[in-house]
Amino acid sequence: MRYLFFICLVFCYITNINAQSQPWQGKFEPIDNMIAAPNSYRTASGAPGEAYWQQRADYKIKVVLDESQNTITGQETITYYNNSPDDLSYLWIQLEQNVNQKGNEDFGNFNNSLKDGMTTRQMQFLTRAIEFPAGYSISYIKDSHGKAMTSLVNNTMMKVVLDTPLKSGESLTFSIGWSYPITDRSLFFLSREGYEYFPGDDNTVYLIAHWFPRMAVYNDTEGWQNQQFQRLGEFALEFGDYEVDITVPEDHIVAATGTLKNPEVVLSKTQQNRMEKARSSFDKPVMIVTREEAETNEKTKSKTQKTWQFTAKNVRDFAFASSRKFIWDAQAVQLPTNTVMAMSFYPKEGLPVWQEESTKAIKNALEVYSEATFDYPYPVAISVNTSNVGMEFPMISFNGGRPKNGKMTQNAKAGMISTIVHEVGHNWFPMIVSSDERKWMWMDEGLNTFLHQRTIAERYPDFNSTTPQSIVPFMTGDKNILRPIMTTSDNELLTQFGANFYQKPTVGLQMLRHSIIGKELFDAAFKEYANRWKYKHPNPADLFRTLEDATATDLDWFFRGWFFTTDHVDMELTEVKWFKVYEVGQNIEHQKQNIQMKVEMDEPAATAADFSSGPEVIKMNTTPDQAYGGYLSRLDEDELRQQLSGKNIYEISLKNIGGLVMPVTIEWHYTDGSSEIDRLPADIWRKNEYEVKRTFIKTKEVKAVKLDPNFEFADTDMSNNSFPKVETASQFDRFKAKQSND
């Protein structure tokens, strides 16, 4: 016996030690151990701290686009400001064009299996059998005195070694000369930039992005940003001011980040007058370059050049597009604190849809996003037509969607408009609220898609939108390969990329706004986050903490389940019991007979499949005095019995099968044909995360009960959400059938 007792003590001790070393991670435990601790740089409220800092880089760039050779040649001067508390002995610079070099570490990653029946383009993606030049040639790196600086290139990153450490609070000016061959966008999978050739008129549209050596981010949470560019993960960049001179063939039209400083040099007098008219045209676009003028340009093929000069203040990047094919329209958009020029550039192949819809879509995005966050602060917002893909940069985006022979289906048109809204919306996330896209892609794609879908719902209600239903097929996927939202972009499977980084965060924010927090509180909190972190670098913890701080709501349970796990929502309505209270003074057998009760009071009732057997009877006994303890007052039992007299009491049993806790919405259908909804918070699962019971008092008799009737919480199996059980196809089955038909 003593031996057994000793063994029990040892077992309890070991269990206790394991519990201390491996804390229990319940669904309602704080996520403090899963996110970075607050400090003087980033506060526990989710706001930047009093000691918050970030680096800055200003650029002066001169670049020449050589159309005959399809090359870019440039010289840039960078002034880098070390606002960190650290002395820096070297700098890291991004060289994204090196990703296109053969032998790059991610070459062939997206299409890496051979199969019978491959297209020639798929085979080119995989093998690069047709070779082409790519990547930077660095001609010099010099300090402000003209002295050569030592550098080392590691794939898409370049280390510049400093002779003397750059001390905290100081700045450094240096220059780089470089060139690279512009790549044919059709030769790359997921190509966001390069050139598109039009053989019909022997012309080219150039989309020039991540084109100049750029400073990597150095911050308080990571030091130097150290993830290579592998196409899926995008960018982490510092803010700064830009002065950019772009030299192109004389008959080209250039669209770019920033303000055009020399319109009198690069635009005709007629074009300048049209632009002036557009500045006060708030109801429709004004044509700056017409189709007829663009088609004339297509035939000229000028051999002389001209230089377009742009400036941009407080942006984290710079991009431009150039072509003699461009048609150009512009319209003024009045926001509460700013007037913005919305402009579209497109070849004739984009007509008529681009002329009809592109600038209108920009305007819609500017208005909805500004209302939801802060007024768009920049002078222009530009949409440039491309053959496919959509890609965002400050003030300018390259957007897919092009008619065939001047026609588009309604679905294709909706996709084009949605792309424009989405890419313009990226000006807020991450171009201003500047999260690290390479590390936390969901922070820009998810937040932006959330507002993009809000824009579609408000301005294009006939278009399909992302809803909780949209994410169900993904959530029911194979848990062996599913990954949580909190996964870095380059580690996500391509087949899951859109669902996990775009749709799932969007649905999560929709749930918070519509069903968990409420629109008024959520909208104010989301706006608080955007304003706290505009022109700064937020991390996931800053978003999570701000949403809790600005709503006075504990959301750790939601963030833990939705962002850090691959659990799904599957709530089961296992049982509904119906009761009535025995009324004092009435013969209980007579009461049973009246309500057609056929159970013995002392025996547990069998599980009922519906309400046809009538209610069980509850006999309430008088509370004995000892149950009150030291209290001298007594419950008014007559009043209690009177309040319950004739009422229907329902006990609902719920199971959490999917693992993800959520609020519970219950729809009651009464025998008189009416219905009502009760809402229970997610807190009902705190004591038991797997099974709960709840009691409701109803005046009317219930005919049927349903969970999540409006499909607010992405429940993956609606067939177990009803009582009595519904034998027909579940709501989810009908949704899947509709998807396949669409």
Side-chain angles (χ1 to χ4, degrees), residues 22 124 283 371 535 591 606 648 676 727:
Q22 297 178 342
Q124 172 65 12
D283 58 343
E371 180 184 358
Y535 305 116
Q591 187 171 351
N648 301 285
E676 70 172 335
E727 300 299 332

Side-chain angles (χ1 to χ4, degrees), residues 76 78 92-101 104 134-138 140-141 151-160 176-180 209-216 225 227-230 235 237 438:
E76 64 185 286
I78 303 173
W92 278 103
I93 294 173
Q94 297 179 353
L95 301 178
E96 277 91 350
Q97 286 298 323
N98 285 355
V99 76
N100 295 328
Q101 292 176 328
N104 181 277
Y136 283 107
S137 295
I138 305 295
Y140 64 82
I141 306 176
S151 65
L152 298 167
V153 174
N154 176 15
N155 197 15
T156 63
M157 302 286 287
M158 179 171 68
K159 183 179 185 180
V160 177
I176 305 175
W178 46 268
S179 64
Y180 71 86
H210 40 93
W211 52 285
F212 58 99
R214 303 177 294 181
M215 295 301 307
Q225 177 267 318
Q227 291 178 269
Q228 297 282 346
F229 180 47
Q230 296 180 332
F235 311 110
L237 299 162
R438 203 160 291 178

Side-chain angles (χ1 to χ4, degrees), residues 241-286:
D241 295 341
Y242 285 74
E243 297 179 14
V244 182
D245 292 354
I246 304 170
T247 300
V248 297
E250 189 177 32
D251 47 7
H252 272 218
I253 295 294
V254 175
T257 300
T259 301
L260 178 62
K261 302 305 292 183
N262 62 338
E264 71 285 351
V265 174
V266 296
L267 301 181
S268 68
K269 193 66 175 176
T270 299
Q271 291 166 344
Q272 294 178 59
N273 291 337
R274 291 169 178 168
M275 181 57 71
E276 197 59 36
K277 180 181 178 183
R279 296 187 192 284
S280 58
S281 178
F282 296 96
D283 58 343
K284 63 180 181 180
V286 173

Side-chain angles (χ1 to χ4, degrees), residues 251 253 267-268 270-272 274-275 277 285-299 323-330 344-349 351 355:
D251 47 7
I253 295 294
L267 301 181
S268 68
T270 299
Q271 291 166 344
Q272 294 178 59
R274 291 169 178 168
M275 181 57 71
K277 180 181 178 183
V286 173
M287 300 306 301
I288 311 303
V289 176
T290 67
R291 173 176 184 165
E292 292 72 26
E293 291 166 341
E295 289 179 335
T296 299
N297 284 344
E298 286 178 348
K299 300 179 178 68
S323 179
R324 64 176 55 85
K325 289 179 66 65
F326 280 150
I327 302 166
W328 176 9
D329 69 56
S344 296
F345 295 74
Y346 41 92
K348 65 179 183 297
E349 287 78 5
L351 294 172
Q355 185 173 334

Side-chain angles (χ1 to χ4, degrees), residues 324-499:
R324 64 176 55 85
K325 289 179 66 65
F326 280 150
I327 302 166
W328 176 9
D329 69 56
Q331 176 181 345
V333 179
Q334 184 64 63
L335 302 176
T337 62
N338 192 24
T339 300
V340 183
M341 292 303 297
M343 301 193 291
S344 296
F345 295 74
Y346 41 92
K348 65 179 183 297
E349 287 78 5
L351 294 172
V353 185
W354 269 75
Q355 185 173 334
E356 297 166 350
E357 299 292 350
S358 177
T359 300
K360 183 195 301 183
I362 299 172
K363 179 178 183 290
N364 286 330
L366 291 174
E367 291 173 343
V368 176
Y369 277 74
S370 292
E371 180 184 358
T373 55
F374 48 79
D375 282 357
Y376 183 81
Y378 296 134
V380 298
I382 297 171
S383 170
V384 181
N385 177 236
T386 178
S387 57
N388 54 11
V389 186
M391 190 60 201
E392 73 279 359
F393 308 94
M395 305 187 223
I396 187 171
S397 55
F398 307 152
N399 301 311
R402 186 172 289 163
K404 293 182 178 179
N405 300 318
K407 296 181 180 180
M408 295 184 85
T409 66
Q410 281 303 109
N411 283 343
K413 181 178 176 181
M416 181 204 85
I417 292 171
S418 189
T419 297
I420 296 170
V421 168
H422 182 89
E423 305 306 340
V424 171
H426 270 307
N427 276 284
W428 281 266
F429 306 98
M431 298 303 152
I432 299 174
V433 182
S434 183
S435 55
D436 183 345
E437 300 174 84
R438 203 160 291 178
K439 194 168 187 179
W440 304 118
M441 177 160 279
W442 69 266
M443 287 194 73
D444 67 283
E445 296 296 356
L447 271 62
N448 179 49
T449 302
F450 167 65
L451 289 185
H452 147 214
Q453 290 298 318
R454 180 173 164 182
T455 305
I456 295 300
E458 292 182 11
R459 300 299 175 93
Y460 302 94
D462 294 336
F463 291 1
N464 290 329
S465 300
T466 294
T467 68
Q469 288 181 326
S470 309
I471 200 64
V472 166
F474 172 70
M475 299 288 279
T476 55
D478 183 357
K479 291 292 194 289
N480 292 317
I481 60 173
L482 284 183
R483 293 166 185 171
I485 293 174
M486 293 291 286
T487 301
T488 55
S489 51
D490 288 318
N491 294 330
E492 181 60 272
L493 297 177
L494 186 61
T495 55
Q496 300 175 5
F497 190 81

